[in-house]
């Protein structure tokens, strides 16, 4: 907690940054942002510079406009995904391993090209739209089970009842993990979520080690006896021409854990909250379910929720501001997708809207799991609208939110029926 | 009407494919598997929509 308290103090503004591009915004604790995140995003678009420096959390850049995000996301040379340059980071983690045991690497999310591509390549077929589409019925069965368990109750806290369990169940099934790991993974996800909402990386390495630990037995079993699951598939692929190792498999498992669980959960939470507040939209989708896939896209755009960090790799001018090597820059995708310079009437959920959002980021780091996320969201909305009558927010228990690198819903109390 | 795609810049969003699997085929990794094609008669609207759906903006429509 001490770290959190001190980190909120503003840091001195570096001399090369003029006051005109400084705006005070704490991406972890801004009160208006925590009260209703995307309302504050719109406020930032109206009142903050399109690229600004905030002195909070040690000081960093915020890329708010669509143009800034689109350019930076595709420029991996200037905006590095490596927290530290690769060799420095490897040396540091190897040194840590002597004290704490091996630290799993979430490759390729934290690598730049060309290494990024080498580690991403083996995952692409596994997460391609065609492979993911074969899983639809399994995912639907899981969604139906969760929804049926609450349908008769007249209401529920939707995050803990549905939005959180669904991606965890899908994850365990896809990886081929035993079902009895479910409580352990729910607890790991919870710890990850709580940590996400705080700046700083305290305890992050230990959490990654626990995630790897929890899948170690299954990974070893599949090495000798393959099944129809992702762990088995990854034992069969090559990385840059060499066979995968136990360490590679643990790395990939950790990557899929940190990239694929809380994100889907928050996408569901933000979308369902919008539906709960908009009975007319619910009715329109119930009347014509073929519109649901369009709603899925529009809700992703309207409530884009990830804020991937980058490291400025060299001194440069970027969209009118001077940046220096080593500074941190946040790709504020919620801003990009609500930018009125890019989307007409951006706050309106318009099922006829054309043009593409970048909720899954742009450039080579485009979310690997985007096709899975879309399928999960789509199926969840379809079954939700089929299995529950018109639902609304519980007037006595308003939703609460969390912010940070993933913006999401903490609690979402819904009620339905009389 | 012709479609030209900067294939090397495709990052696998597959939104074009979601508009038309026939016009915008994917490879086994889920990335675009075609660089340039004549749009068959009657499919012009579909082709335009596929191009507009690309978040990377790498699909170019060349009208006759």
């Amino acid at each position: 907690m001490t770290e959190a308290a001190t980190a909120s103090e503003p840091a001195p503004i570096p001399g090369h940054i003029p006051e005109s591009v400084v705006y005070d915004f704490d991406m972890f604790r801004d009160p208006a942002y925590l009260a209703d995140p995307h309302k504050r995003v719109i406020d930032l678009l109206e009142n903050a510079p399109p690229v600004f420096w905030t002195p909070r959390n040690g000081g960093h850049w915020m890329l708010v406009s669509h143009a800034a995000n689109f350019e930076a996301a595709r420029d991996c040379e200037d905006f590095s995904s490596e927290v530290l340059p690769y060799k420095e980071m490897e040396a540091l983690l190897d040194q840590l391993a002597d004290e704490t045991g091996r630290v799993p690497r979430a490759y390729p999310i934290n690598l730049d090209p060309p290494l990024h591509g080498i580690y991403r390549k083996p995952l692409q077929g596994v997460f391609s739209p065609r492979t993911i589409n074969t899983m639809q019925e399994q995912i639907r069965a899981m969604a139906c089970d969760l929804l049926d368990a609450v349908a008769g109750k007249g209401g529920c806290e939707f995050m803990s009842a549905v939005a959180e369990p669904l991606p965890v169940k899908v994850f365990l099934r896809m990886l081929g993990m035993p079902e009895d790991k479910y409580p352990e993974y729910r607890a790991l996800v919870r710890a990850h979520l709580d940590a996400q909402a705080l700046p700083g990386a305290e305890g992050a390495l230990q959490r990654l080690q626990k995630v790897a630990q929890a899948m170690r037995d299954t990974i070893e079993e599949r090495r000798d006896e393959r099944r129809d699951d992702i762990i088995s598939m990854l034992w069969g692929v090559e990385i840059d021409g060499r066979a995968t190792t136990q360490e590679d498999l643990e790395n990939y498992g950790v990557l899929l854990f940190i990239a694929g669980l809380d994100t889907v959960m928050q996408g569901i939470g933000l979308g369902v909250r919008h539906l709960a507040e908009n009975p007319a939209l619910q009715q329109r989708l119930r009347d014509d379910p073929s519109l649901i896939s369009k709603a899925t896209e529009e809700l992703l755009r309207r409530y884009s929720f990830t804020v991937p960090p980058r490291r400025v790799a060299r001194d440069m001018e970027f969209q009118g501001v001077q940046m220096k090597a080593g500074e941190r820059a946040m790709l504020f995708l919620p801003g990009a997708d609500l930018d009125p310079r890019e989307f007409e009437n951006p706050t309106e959920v318009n099922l006829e809207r054309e043009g593409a959002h970048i909720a899954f980021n742009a450039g080579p780091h485009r979310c690997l799991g985007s096709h899975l996320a879309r399928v999960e969201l789509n199926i969840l909305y379809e079954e939700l609208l089929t299995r529950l009558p018109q639902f609304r927010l519980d007037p006595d228990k308003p939703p609460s939110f969390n912010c940070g690198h993933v913006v999401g819903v903490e609690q979402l109390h819904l009620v339905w029926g009389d | 009407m012709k479609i030209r795609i900067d294939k090397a810049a495709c990052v696998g969003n597959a939104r074009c494919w979601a508009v038309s699997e026939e016009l915008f085929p994917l490879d086994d990794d889920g990335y675009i598997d075609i660089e340039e094609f004549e749009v068959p008669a009657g499919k012009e609207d579909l082709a335009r929509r596929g191009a507009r759906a690309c978040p990377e903006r790498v699909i170019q429509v060349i009208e006759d």
Side-chain angles (χ1 to χ4, degrees):
Chain A
M1 284 316 283
T2 24
E3 189 192 19
T6 48
S8 72
E9 295 299 318
I13 314 268
H16 66 284
I17 300 174
E19 213 171 292
S20 59
V21 296
V22 175
Y23 186 93
D24 190 351
F25 177 71
D26 188 328
M27 64 180 271
F28 292 93
R29 300 180 203 76
D30 181 273
Y33 191 42
L34 278 170
D36 198 347
H38 291 80
K39 206 169 162 186
R40 178 69 164 124
V41 174
I42 291 155
D43 180 52
L44 286 176
L45 282 156
E46 286 170 359
N47 296 307
V51 176
F52 70 80
W53 177 270
T54 173
R56 300 289 160 174
N57 301 303
H60 60 85
W61 293 105
M62 290 287 290
L63 277 47
V64 183
S65 66
H66 185 280
N69 280 285
F70 192 64
E71 183 179 345
R74 292 152 48 99
D75 179 1
C76 302
E77 275 186 35
D78 290 336
F79 290 93
S80 170
S81 291
E82 299 174 356
V83 179
L84 292 172
Y86 177 72
K87 282 185 181 148
E88 279 176 47
M89 186 54 126
E90 287 296 307
L92 186 68
L93 291 176
D94 285 343
Q95 193 188 329
L96 268 175
D98 295 340
E99 299 157 29
T100 69
R102 183 178 179 275
V103 181
R105 275 59 153 175
Y107 297 157
I109 202 168
N110 50 7
L111 291 176
D112 294 333
L115 262 183
H116 167 261
I118 288 169
Y119 282 91
R120 181 169 169 127
K121 173 81 180 146
L123 297 171
Q124 285 176 175
V126 180
F127 285 90
S128 74
R130 263 195 289 265
T131 314
I132 295 301
N133 279 348
T134 63
M135 304 191 42
Q136 294 218 25
E137 290 322 304
Q138 288 187 52
I139 295 173
R140 190 176 301 279
M142 291 183 243
C144 291
D145 283 349
L146 291 167
L147 289 165
D148 287 346
V150 295
K153 292 183 176 171
C156 71
E157 196 290 289
F158 196 76
M159 299 311 290
S160 54
V162 180
E164 195 178 310
L166 179 64
V168 180
K169 283 175 183 281
V170 171
F171 174 85
L172 294 179
R173 180 74 59 88
M174 281 185 74
L175 262 72
M177 306 271 293
E179 302 222 347
D180 61 15
K181 290 274 183 189
Y182 176 70
E184 187 180 353
Y185 267 80
R186 279 292 292 271
L188 286 167
V189 169
R190 199 60 243 166
H192 176 67
L193 280 171
D194 291 343
Q196 280 282 330
L198 290 174
E202 211 174 334
L205 302 182
Q206 289 89 329
R207 280 195 307 279
L208 297 185
Q209 286 172 330
K210 279 188 192 159
V211 172
Q213 174 73 40
M215 55 181 75
R216 192 157 294 147
D217 293 350
T218 311
I219 292 175
E220 283 171 7
E221 285 166 30
R222 295 296 185 281
R223 183 183 49 208
D224 306 319
E225 195 195 322
R226 306 289 163 85
R227 291 198 200 160
D228 181 20
D229 58 42
I230 287 185
I231 291 178
S232 301
M233 270 191 257
L234 291 173
W235 273 121
V237 300
E238 292 189 338
I239 298 176
D240 208 16
R242 64 163 176 84
T244 43
T245 65
Q246 176 82 18
E247 290 185 353
D248 292 321
L249 271 280
E250 289 182 16
N251 287 347
Y252 280 142
V254 166
L255 166 82
L256 301 178
F257 178 92
I258 62 170
L261 294 179
D262 59 326
T263 45
V264 175
M265 182 187 314
Q266 306 306 6
I268 293 173
L270 292 163
V272 171
R273 181 241 191 167
H274 182 90
L275 290 169
E277 288 184 315
N278 291 275
L281 179 61
Q282 285 185 43
Q283 195 54 49
R284 194 167 167 215
L285 298 175
R286 285 195 176 95
D287 291 345
D288 182 1
S290 74
L291 293 173
I292 291 177
S293 61
K294 289 182 175 153
T296 300
E297 290 309 309
E298 251 306 76
L299 291 170
L300 280 165
R301 181 198 65 78
R302 177 66 180 78
Y303 300 99
S304 293
F305 53 85
T306 66
V307 185
R310 292 292 185 265
R311 176 176 53 83
V312 175
R314 65 178 177 97
D315 295 358
M316 61 179 177
E317 188 186 317
F318 176 77
Q319 301 206 352
V321 304
Q322 292 297 323
M323 295 185 169
K324 287 221 184 288
E327 290 172 347
R328 292 175 306 135
M330 304 299 158
L331 303 181
F332 193 57
L333 302 178
D337 281 338
L338 283 170
D339 188 342
R341 290 156 287 212
E342 188 64 29
F343 299 99
E344 203 178 325
N345 300 325
T347 58
E348 184 194 354
V349 171
N350 173 1
L351 305 187
E352 280 77 45
R353 191 187 293 278
E354 288 206 324
H357 64 74
I358 52 170
F360 293 113
N361 207 350
H365 284 278
R366 186 269 310 166
C367 172
L368 175 77
S370 63
H371 309 299
L372 173 61
R374 283 190 162 102
V375 164
E376 287 186 62
L377 285 166
N378 221 49
I379 287 175
L380 189 275
Y381 294 145
E382 282 173 4
E383 296 304 330
L384 176 68
L385 292 163
T386 307
R387 273 152 210 275
L388 296 189
Q390 189 180 101
F391 53 89
R392 54 197 183 276
L393 297 181
D394 183 337
D396 299 327
K397 295 175 189 162
S400 54
F401 302 91
N402 49 62
C403 297
H405 291 288
V406 179
V407 177
V409 187
E410 187 68 41
Q411 292 211 320
L412 182 65
H413 292 276
L414 301 180
V415 289
W416 53 84
D418 300 327
Chain B
M1 183 178 158
K2 215 188 259 181
I3 291 287
R4 191 176 294 156
I5 301 169
D6 182 359
K7 198 164 172 242
C10 171
V11 299
N13 277 288
R15 299 314 294 157
C16 56
W17 177 85
V19 172
S20 172
E21 298 187 17
E22 180 197 348
L23 292 179
F24 301 98
L26 302 182
D27 66 18
D28 288 342
D29 279 355
Y31 287 57
I32 192 72
D33 203 20
I34 194 166
E35 258 184 295
E36 192 173 306
F37 59 91
E38 286 290 338
V39 178
K43 305 268 183 192
E44 292 85 354
D45 262 6
L46 213 51
R48 280 190 203 101
R49 278 209 288 135
R52 282 197 294 267
C54 177
E56 294 291 308
R57 304 170 179 177
V58 300
I59 307 179
Q60 193 189 350
V61 179
I62 302 162
E63 304 278 354
D64 289 330

